[in-house]
Amino acid sequence: MQKNEITELESGAEAHTQREILSQPELWQEVYHLIKKQNAEISNFLTPVLQKENLRILLTGAGTSGYIGDAAQGTLQKLWRRPVQAVPTTEIVIQPDSIFLRAVPTLLISFARSGNSPESVEAARLANHCCEEIYHFIITCNGEGALANMHAAASENVFCLVLPERTNDKSLAMTSSFTCMLLSVLLVARVDSLEEEFPKIQRIVEQGNAILDKQILLENLAMTGFERVVFLGSGENLGIAKECHLKLLELTDGKQVVMSDSFLAFRHGPRAFVNASTLVVYLFSRNPHIMRYERDLAEDISRDARSIYSLQVGGGDGLVLSNSSNIAWSIDTENQYQMIPVTLVGQLLGYYSAVHSGINPDSPSSSGSISRVVQGVNIYTE
């Protein structure tokens, strides 16, 4: 299957989800050039903020957008040498006093596809109310959303980065919006040295296309009909594992039993989730030290008498497991963007699981219990 084909399975039907998955490597380059074009404005806003004494940085969003913070937190903290914490808007809204510190200068980086979810807007309002000195950096796929409109009427403490229109997914599940917002915040952290980052972007484009070239493998795994699927990741890849988990859950309308965890935490009880009909997806780290711990667990599970099947993503070619498939590439320890193409594995497994279950990936929720922009959330201001 060519990575830009629409399969016969979707002929005559909407195919937003598939197009949005397949478009990502191209979009990553577009996002890079957009940020490079705006690098002076971004740097002028962020440089004085990042020089604030005792600055605290919060990364926020809801659901998929919240997992961006989980994936980016460690990299941003290393680059900025400031405390960086990922806190979902869903936590900020219900307990702002336990999140914000009034006297501490705070940079709130908000991620939002539409920017119209009630929690996104309320989290920004609460930040203004609870912090004496607050700065907002908004990354959104919708320039017309409520969150982006904060920028239109705001003072100098707000910067809004609006990504290309094609990142504003039309399907229910966030795919290109997730990877492009994640890429954006990592590039923003390197905004003063973007020329040096371009070869790394080219590399993840190659890796993304390599995963798209494995669609037949991923489709076959989806068709196998595993009873359960577990995604494992460490550090930055734990955020990616959570997002892969959610994609498979959303796109199958909750019919696929799925979970995510870190490699080490999985040993402490959650391993009981695995049965003889489980697919274990290993999202291996680019960090050789972390990889040692990951290899130990993968080798241990491969010795399980129940012949547990696994999919290895990343990690090079050095690990040989029984009952396993492999999507491998050379480890690039210095490429902090390498987690981004890994996300495509969860997206494609979710997409093909939906298609082969007779579910429309663009609108998988038969009950209407989930929607593109969350509905039914009441905001209580007292």
Side-chain angles (χ1 to χ4, degrees), residues 39-167:
N39 70 328
E41 295 91 334
I42 294 170
S43 183
N44 289 341
F45 176 82
L46 276 181
T47 299
V49 175
L50 292 172
Q51 291 173 350
K52 297 282 181 180
E53 188 174 356
N54 300 322
L55 178 72
R56 184 170 179 235
I57 302 166
L58 299 179
L59 311 176
T60 196
T64 286
S65 296
Y67 297 149
I68 297 170
D70 291 334
Q73 181 271 331
T75 298
L76 297 181
Q77 186 160 285
K78 288 176 185 176
L79 291 174
W80 282 338
R81 300 180 182 178
R82 295 284 187 277
V84 178
Q85 182 180 0
V87 185
T89 58
T90 47
E91 288 299 309
I92 291 175
V93 165
I94 63 172
Q95 50 177 357
D97 291 342
S98 67
I99 306 297
F100 296 116
L101 300 172
R102 180 168 293 279
V104 177
T106 301
L107 171 63
L108 184 68
I109 302 180
S110 298
F111 306 102
R113 174 171 65 174
S114 72
N116 288 323
S117 71
E119 298 98 330
S120 294
V121 177
E122 179 64 3
R125 187 193 73 80
L126 287 168
N128 291 335
H129 176 73
C130 295
C131 298
E132 293 175 357
E133 188 175 356
I134 183 72
Y135 303 91
H136 296 273
F137 195 100
I138 298 164
I139 300 178
T140 182
C141 304
N142 180 18
E144 304 300 319
L147 204 57
N149 283 334
M150 282 183 59
H151 176 61
S155 61
E156 59 187 17
N157 72 322
V158 180
F159 188 97
C160 183
L161 177 64
V162 179
L163 300 188
E165 175 60 29
R166 283 197 299 154
T167 67

Side-chain angles (χ1 to χ4, degrees), residues 199-241:
K200 297 177 185 177
I201 302 304
Q202 290 178 307
R203 181 65 180 136
I204 66 164
V205 168
E206 293 170 2
Q207 290 166 343
N209 284 326
I211 292 173
L212 294 178
D213 284 337
K214 293 285 188 176
Q215 285 183 78
I216 292 176
L217 165 63
L218 295 167
E219 181 175 9
N220 287 338
L221 288 174
M223 291 175 65
T224 300
F226 289 101
E227 182 181 311
R228 303 177 181 184
V229 178
V230 56
F231 294 93
L232 297 179
S234 308
E236 60 196 22
N237 277 345
L238 177 56
I240 303 302

Side-chain angles (χ1 to χ4, degrees), residues 58 111 208 264 287 325:
L58 299 179
F111 306 102
L264 279 182
N287 182 313
S325 299

Side-chain angles (χ1 to χ4, degrees), residues 114-349:
S114 72
N116 288 323
S117 71
E119 298 98 330
S120 294
V121 177
E122 179 64 3
R125 187 193 73 80
L126 287 168
N128 291 335
H129 176 73
C130 295
C131 298
E132 293 175 357
E133 188 175 356
I134 183 72
Y135 303 91
H136 296 273
F137 195 100
I138 298 164
I139 300 178
T140 182
C141 304
N142 180 18
E144 304 300 319
L147 204 57
N149 283 334
M150 282 183 59
H151 176 61
S155 61
E156 59 187 17
N157 72 322
V158 180
F159 188 97
C160 183
L161 177 64
V162 179
L163 300 188
E165 175 60 29
R166 283 197 299 154
T167 67
N168 190 8
D169 305 313
K170 292 181 172 60
S171 57
L172 180 144
M174 291 175 62
T175 53
S176 63
S177 53
F178 174 84
T179 60
C180 288
M181 285 193 285
L182 176 54
L183 173 60
S184 296
V185 75
L186 297 176
L187 286 170
V188 162
R190 292 281 197 179
V191 72
D192 293 325
S193 58
L194 287 177
E195 291 286 351
E196 300 170 18
E197 302 307 295
F198 188 62
K200 297 177 185 177
I201 302 304
Q202 290 178 307
R203 181 65 180 136
I204 66 164
V205 168
E206 293 170 2
Q207 290 166 343
N209 284 326
I211 292 173
L212 294 178
D213 284 337
K214 293 285 188 176
Q215 285 183 78
I216 292 176
L217 165 63
L218 295 167
E219 181 175 9
N220 287 338
L221 288 174
M223 291 175 65
T224 300
F226 289 101
E227 182 181 311
R228 303 177 181 184
V229 178
V230 56
F231 294 93
L232 297 179
S234 308
E236 60 196 22
N237 277 345
L238 177 56
I240 303 302
K242 292 177 181 179
E243 170 57 9
C244 289
H245 169 178
L246 181 58
K247 284 293 90 67
L248 193 48
L249 191 67
E250 285 179 323
L251 288 169
T252 61
D253 196 21
K255 293 179 175 61
Q256 177 66 67
V257 179
V258 57
M259 72 166 290
S260 56
D261 209 337
S262 72
F263 279 77
L264 279 182
F266 193 63
R267 292 181 180 272
H268 293 264
R271 187 169 168 177
F273 179 83
V274 174
N275 64 13
S277 185
T278 299
L279 170 65
V280 182
V281 183
Y282 300 117
L283 310 181
F284 286 120
S285 175
R286 62 190 170 92
N287 182 313
H289 176 70
I290 295 173
M291 179 70 174
R292 291 177 179 176
Y293 293 98
E294 296 174 340
R295 288 174 66 107
D296 286 349
L297 177 65
E299 289 171 342
D300 191 19
I301 291 176
S302 75
R303 292 189 290 267
D304 192 302
R306 295 171 295 177
S307 300
I308 307 302
Y309 201 86
S310 68
L311 172 63
Q312 305 171 59
V313 184
D317 298 311
L319 180 60
V320 178
L321 302 175
S322 59
N323 302 305
S324 186
S325 299
N326 197 331
I327 301 176
W329 50 69
S330 330
I331 295 174
D332 187 350
T333 59
E334 299 304 316
N335 192 340
Q336 66 267 30
Y337 313 107
Q338 199 162 56
M339 69 180 106
I340 293 170
V342 171
T343 317
L344 274 62
V345 172
Q347 295 173 358
L348 287 166
L349 281 174

